[in-house]
Amino acid sequence: SIKHENEYRSLLQTTKAQLPNVQLILCEPFILLIGRTKERYHEWLDEIKKRHESVLKLSKEFNAVYVNFQDVFNDAIEKAPIEYWIWDGIHPMPAGHQLMANHWTESVHKKLSFIK
């Protein structure tokens, strides 16, 4: 939503004003169809897609690292059952947290070579 994007932009502007040399890292929100998300999945999916677009747009605007988690989870559920990665559609299981950590590190390393 526009409100979400504007609030996010304001936070990023404030951060950059206080820390002009900071390297921002913006992470894409994600959702999977399991648990409590089943009831309102399509409604939430529409909102998540809007937020994907906002986060991507803001990452370009602020020269931030963009970490795309939705595709990572979508690919992961092809390799193991959804319950292995995430229990309710939005909160990861330990394997999901590790998946995110690995992908975050890989994404950030592309921009900041001292992250391995």
Side-chain angles (χ1 to χ4, degrees):
S1 70
I2 297 296
K3 181 180 179 197
H4 172 264
E5 185 176 316
N6 289 338
E7 289 173 353
Y8 205 162
R9 179 177 288 107
S10 177
L11 175 64
L12 297 172
Q13 288 170 335
T14 300
T15 301
K16 288 295 273 185
Q18 296 296 315
L19 303 165
N21 296 320
V22 72
Q23 174 59 63
L24 298 169
I25 300 166
L26 305 185
C27 297
E28 173 184 80
F30 56 89
I31 188 170
L32 295 177
L33 181 57
I34 185 174
R36 67 182 184 181
T37 62
K38 285 183 179 181
E39 301 157 8
R40 298 175 62 196
Y41 179 75
H42 295 291
E43 175 186 335
W44 289 356
L45 186 60
D46 289 342
E47 182 61 28
I48 291 292
K49 285 180 180 178
K50 290 175 189 170
R51 290 181 185 216
H52 286 176
E53 293 168 8
S54 291
V55 174
L56 181 58
K57 178 180 176 182
L58 291 170
S59 71
K60 290 176 182 175
E61 185 177 324
F62 287 88
N63 193 30
V65 175
Y66 179 74
V67 183
N68 63 322
F69 286 132
Q70 186 70 58
D71 289 343
V72 171
F73 276 105
N74 291 346
D75 292 344
I77 62 175
E78 298 296 321
K79 297 173 183 138
I82 195 169
E83 298 85 2
Y84 180 74
W85 305 108
I86 198 161
W87 66 276
D88 69 348
I90 36 181
H91 297 101
M93 296 294 288
H97 283 287
Q98 188 64 58
L99 183 75
M100 292 174 72
N102 293 348
H103 185 66
W104 186 95
T105 301
E106 181 183 305
S107 299
V108 172
H109 174 71
K110 291 174 185 174
K111 183 124 184 186
L112 306 173
S113 60
F114 63 88
I115 302 289
K116 298 201 184 246

